[in-house]
Amino acid sequence: MVLRRCLIASSFIAMSIYGCSDRANSTAENTKQVVQESNISQLLIKAKSGEKAEDVLNQGNKLLDAHRYQDAIAAYDKAIAIQPKIAEAWINRGNALTSLKRYKEAIASYDRAITIQPDKDITWYNRGNALASLQSYKEAIAAYDKAIALKPNKYEAWINRGIALTKLQRYPEALKSYDTALAIKPDKHLVYYNKACAYALQSNVELAISNLNKAIKLAPGKYQKLAKTDPDFNKIRSDKRFQNLIQSS
């Protein structure tokens, strides 16, 4: 399946992982301290200079938008030193860490945001994405479920939940999750592609081709190329109908 990276915004960034690609294997244990102790004194000195946490937070968001992730983290640390209970800083700090593939630290940052503001669906969703990147799929599903409980029409969470379930070979549940996403967002071609992958993994040629065809019609040219090399289709790759579909223009 295919990965879709982060959606950059200047506030509450949503980190998206659309697809079934693998990442490093680990668990979501609390590891590194979220704010490095060696920097605390310096940050507190700067905090006393009269800077407002909101201004420093906005600086961090601009740096994050510019993909300057390490600089963004430094700005968020500074904002947190001024005002520790600022959930947005912890969330976007986690997003910057996720972009650097520092997933355990990102999860710790999301967890701090959750202790401050547990009813933010975006925090649970981003936490789920970081967990999925660590191949901690059961924990990722639990995080997506939290996000969905807070915002039932969050189709991105339904999609990524389906991906995690597919990784666990829980195909019927994954397909139900994808179908819920389609009920919310009927024209989301990526969902049809992911459904095609789930069916192909079960050697269901008919439904794999049917859903792949829908994805191709909604986004011509994109999914033929992806399907040619996607290992999820290996079980049906020799089927003539599949070959004809991915060769069509």
Side-chain angles (χ1 to χ4, degrees):
M1 293 189 182
V2 61
L3 282 178
R4 180 177 170 186
R5 296 290 180 179
C6 56
L7 306 174
I8 298 297
S10 56
S11 176
F12 292 130
I13 295 170
M15 306 300 291
S16 300
I17 302 177
Y18 291 167
C20 284
S21 295
D22 290 329
R23 294 293 180 87
N25 186 23
S26 186
T27 57
E29 59 194 37
N30 289 329
T31 53
K32 296 183 181 178
Q33 187 173 338
V34 179
V35 179
Q36 297 296 326
E37 291 181 4
S38 60
N39 295 330
I40 289 293
S41 297
Q42 183 180 358
L43 290 169
L44 288 174
I45 290 169
K46 291 181 180 179
K48 292 177 182 177
S49 67
E51 289 180 289
K52 294 181 180 179
E54 184 180 355
D55 293 338
V56 182
L57 172 64
N58 288 335
Q59 291 172 18
N61 290 342
K62 289 177 182 178
L63 290 164
L64 188 55
D65 288 345
H67 307 287
R68 293 172 58 185
Y69 302 122
Q70 199 64 55
D71 292 336
I73 292 166
Y76 294 134
D77 284 348
K78 190 175 176 181
I80 289 163
I82 299 169
Q83 187 178 333
K85 292 187 177 181
I86 183 165
E88 184 180 347
W90 289 108
I91 295 170
N92 283 0
R93 184 181 188 278
N95 294 341
L97 287 162
T98 296
S99 296
L100 294 172
K101 299 184 179 182
R102 291 161 60 181
Y103 301 118
K104 291 182 182 180
E105 294 172 86
I107 291 164
S109 207
Y110 295 139
D111 285 345
R112 289 296 295 267
I114 287 167
T115 63
I116 298 164
Q117 198 169 6
D119 60 349
K120 274 289 178 187
D121 63 276
I122 196 68
T123 317
W124 289 104
Y125 172 67
N126 288 356
R127 187 179 191 274
N129 290 342
L131 286 161
S133 295
L134 292 171
Q135 298 184 3
S136 297
Y137 299 119
K138 289 183 180 179
E139 292 178 79
I141 291 165
Y144 294 137
D145 285 344
K146 288 278 191 179
I148 289 165
L150 291 165
K151 189 176 180 181
N153 67 341
K154 192 174 186 65
Y155 69 89
E156 303 98 326
W158 285 107
I159 295 171
N160 288 4
R161 183 178 183 273
I163 292 163
L165 287 162
T166 299
K167 284 294 188 180
L168 295 173
Q169 298 182 9
R170 291 161 60 180
Y171 301 119
E173 294 171 83
L175 290 164
K176 285 181 182 179
S177 203
Y178 292 142
D179 286 340
T180 303
L182 285 172
I184 300 164
K185 195 82 169 176
D187 60 347
K188 198 67 183 176
H189 42 79
L190 186 58
V191 187
Y192 288 111
Y193 182 80
N194 284 359
K195 283 185 70 176
C197 290
Y199 282 121
L201 288 165
Q202 299 175 82
S203 301
N204 190 328
V205 182
E206 299 288 344
L207 289 176
I209 290 174
S210 173
N211 281 277
L212 181 57
N213 189 44
K214 289 176 183 178
I216 290 169
K217 285 183 177 179
L218 287 168
K222 178 177 182 178
Y223 292 109
Q224 293 100 320
K225 183 178 179 180
L226 287 171
K228 285 179 182 179
T229 57
D230 194 328
D232 286 352
F233 293 103
N234 285 349
K235 289 183 179 179
I236 68 166
R237 193 166 301 282
S238 61
D239 190 279
K240 288 184 179 179
R241 292 166 292 177
F242 176 77
Q243 287 295 324
N244 289 337
L245 185 59
I246 63 173
Q247 296 301 329
S248 62
S249 58

